[in-house]
Amino acid sequence: NGWTSVSRATLRSDNAVYAQLTLDVGPERVGEMARKLGVRSPLEVGGQYVPAMGLGSIAVSPLDMASAYATLAAGGVYSEPTAIRKVLLPSGREDTKAGWGSPRRTRVISDGVAWKVTQILEDNVSYGTGTRAAFGRPAAGKTGTTDKHADAWFVGYTPDLATAVWMGYQAGAIPMESVHGISVSGGRFPAEIWRLLMERTIG
């Protein structure tokens, strides 16, 4: 498509732009930013970051994706994920001294950067690849689809909740080229599942 902005490339899921951007800034910096935002899955291949990582070539967990997007939703503040909200002692009394359910928070990017990314991802839900995720309230998010439709994502957030929807097979990269007659992409079933969940959770 020739010259374009990062914003427009995001709305079109133009991987050529992100391939060039990864080469321009360096895959090491992309990896460092992913770590800051909350990705904990291994990102190195043979001990090094590879240029294709900017296109999502390295598998990460849904928890990592939700954590990274939650950092953006929180204005650039990373909160360590925790599955424990409270602990009840044998007496039935809640343990309030151990800090259960109090996540450790760290500012990792400026609120201005988080705001700009959120603005672009809101546009993506309004008129980009994520329109099937729109549910009548401000929301930001991004679709993702791997080669041969082996994995499909929609990860999005509101100011209160970040959620990652992944479709694929745990056994490996199995193409999803005819699920109910549809080639699964992030903008189809994952975005629709995300919308249905958010409508019932927040709506």
Side-chain angles (χ1 to χ4, degrees), residues 10 12 21 39 43 54 59 61 88 95 108 114 118 129 133 135 146:
T10 302
R12 287 201 313 260
L21 183 61
V39 175
L43 296 175
S61 73
L88 295 178
D95 180 359
V108 294
T118 296
T129 60
F135 68 108
T146 59

Side-chain angles (χ1 to χ4, degrees), residues 130 132-133 143 153-154 165 186-196:
R132 290 176 187 262
T143 58
W153 293 85
F154 187 85
V165 174
R188 294 295 304 255
F189 293 139
E192 292 169 3
I193 292 167
W194 189 89
R195 172 180 56 79
L196 291 169

Side-chain angles (χ1 to χ4, degrees), residues 23-163:
L23 291 172
D24 289 348
V25 302
E28 296 79 13
R29 285 189 156 176
V30 174
E32 289 168 9
M33 180 55 68
R35 290 271 179 252
K36 281 184 178 181
L37 293 174
V39 175
R40 297 296 174 255
S41 299
L43 296 175
E44 298 86 358
V45 175
Q48 295 188 356
Y49 295 117
V50 297
M53 73 176 303
L55 304 179
S57 66
I58 309 299
V60 299
S61 73
L63 177 61
D64 281 350
M65 294 297 284
S67 180
Y69 279 63
T71 301
L72 296 169
V77 176
Y78 167 72
S79 295
E80 183 179 352
T82 179
I84 300 171
R85 296 176 59 188
K86 66 179 178 178
V87 172
L88 295 178
L89 300 173
S91 65
R93 185 176 56 84
E94 183 178 343
D95 180 359
T96 57
K97 297 179 182 176
W100 300 107
S102 301
R104 287 177 281 198
R105 294 187 168 102
T106 310
R107 174 161 296 284
V108 294
I109 58 173
S110 72
D111 54 357
V113 169
W115 175 84
K116 186 59 182 175
V117 173
T118 296
Q119 185 182 45
I120 294 168
L121 296 181
E122 283 179 347
D123 289 345
N124 192 53
V125 171
S126 296
Y127 54 86
T129 60
T131 55
R132 290 176 187 262
F135 68 108
R137 294 188 56 174
K142 185 68 184 78
T143 58
T145 310
T146 59
D147 288 344
K148 298 181 181 176
H149 303 270
D151 296 278
W153 293 85
F154 187 85
V155 189
Y157 56 95
T158 66
D160 302 313
L161 181 65
T163 307

